[in-house]
Amino acid sequence: MGESSDPFVIENEAGRGPYLIVVDHASNHLPAPWSDLGVGPDAMETHIAWDPGALGVARRMAETLDAPLFRATVSRLVLDLNRPLSSATLIPEVSETTAIPGNRTLSADDRAARVAAVYEPYHSALEALLERHTAACAARGAADVAVVAVHTFTPVYKGVPRPMHVGILHGRDTRLAAPMLAALGAEPGIVAAANEPYGPADEVYWTLDRHAVSRGLPNVMIEIRNDEVRTEDAQARWADMLVGAMTRKPGAADD
């Protein structure tokens, strides 16, 4: 997909809703000078390079909630924006079972160049956007901004099936996660799980830890099984279901 020269794009920046939607793995784009990591085009369409379907879901959620959307424009194979700099998976040499030749034997200077070009501007821009949006919401008398990260996961990982349709990941703050799990668990045919297929201890909560948990803001990470969101209609269905689960008042019953 064609992408911005920046490692991020902000959509609906003037949104007035007290939410901020983040998609760390929105893109499978490999910008220069990392346009050839030695991975074939078929593999670049899979979960090793990005989160298929996540951006479509996030856009619908942002539209419904009138929220800003912050998304990456660089493949996670260049550098995983949702990892601490100390993570062994920041620049993977192997993703699941696929070797990434262009990530092998990187020098310290190579790694630093990726951090400077991709990681630092991404997180600096997200921090600045969150500060602007929280200030604007506070000026309107709105509640704390909730930061929502949208991801997708592969149905089978290293040969092991993952039966849940959606995972709701959270740390100690369950202000969003608890009601969402209750609402999604009541949906016919939907298997929703807490901190599955992985959780914060697996280093997958970095963006939320850095930008939301550190500020005491409500936060949640949504992981949808990617075979559930292959089409625009399916993405819209999931977005509507997730927004409904996020915004349903405690004790509210369906008509």
Side-chain angles (χ1 to χ4, degrees):
M1 66 171 62
E3 286 291 12
S4 164
S5 59
D6 290 321
F8 64 89
V9 164
I10 302 171
E11 300 181 11
N12 194 35
E13 183 169 0
R16 296 173 62 85
Y19 296 90
L20 177 61
I21 312 297
V22 181
V23 194
D24 291 317
H25 302 148
S27 178
N28 60 357
H29 177 55
L30 296 176
W34 311 290
S35 55
D36 182 9
L37 296 180
V39 180
D42 289 345
M44 288 301 300
E45 293 296 326
T46 72
H47 71 281
I48 72 165
W50 64 328
D51 283 353
L55 182 56
V57 173
R59 278 178 167 151
R60 172 80 169 220
M61 292 178 69
E63 179 182 7
T64 303
L65 295 166
D66 190 24
L69 169 65
F70 188 91
R71 64 175 178 89
T73 63
V74 177
S75 171
R76 65 192 303 173
L77 294 182
V78 173
L79 182 147
D80 195 325
L81 293 158
N82 189 32
R83 296 292 188 275
L85 288 173
S86 59
S87 175
T89 60
L90 180 74
I91 302 176
E93 294 186 13
V94 177
S95 184
E96 191 175 3
T97 59
T98 301
I100 317 300
N103 287 349
R104 290 179 180 169
T105 63
L106 292 183
S107 69
D109 286 345
D110 291 334
R111 295 178 67 88
R114 296 194 193 188
V115 170
V118 178
Y119 193 93
E120 290 177 352
Y122 180 88
H123 284 289
S124 293
L126 177 53
E127 181 176 4
L129 173 63
L130 184 54
E131 288 177 355
R132 293 194 300 272
H133 191 52
T134 54
C137 287
R140 292 191 292 269
D144 283 344
V145 170
V147 186
V148 180
V150 180
H151 294 257
T152 64
F153 65 92
T154 183
V156 179
Y157 184 76
K158 294 186 177 179
V160 179
R162 291 159 155 181
M164 71 289 299
H165 300 104
V166 62
I168 301 299
L169 281 58
H170 63 85
R172 293 181 180 178
D173 185 345
T174 62
R175 283 175 286 178
L176 285 179
M180 288 186 73
L181 283 163
L184 292 168
E187 292 282 348
I190 297 296
V191 178
N195 287 329
E196 293 288 349
Y198 23 65
D202 301 305
E203 298 186 320
V204 300
Y205 217 75
W206 171 247
T207 293
L208 289 174
D209 278 336
R210 175 168 175 169
H211 297 286
V213 176
S214 64
R215 290 174 168 82
L217 297 176
N219 59 89
V220 71
M221 181 173 170
I222 300 167
E223 284 275 4
I224 311 161
R225 205 174 69 198
N226 65 30
D227 60 340
E228 288 284 311
V229 289
R230 288 176 175 161
T231 68
E232 289 185 8
D233 286 348
Q235 292 162 15
R237 171 179 171 267
W238 268 98
D240 292 347
M241 183 164 48
L242 291 165
V243 168
M246 285 173 51
T247 58
R248 184 175 301 174
K249 297 187 186 311
D254 294 329
D255 292 336

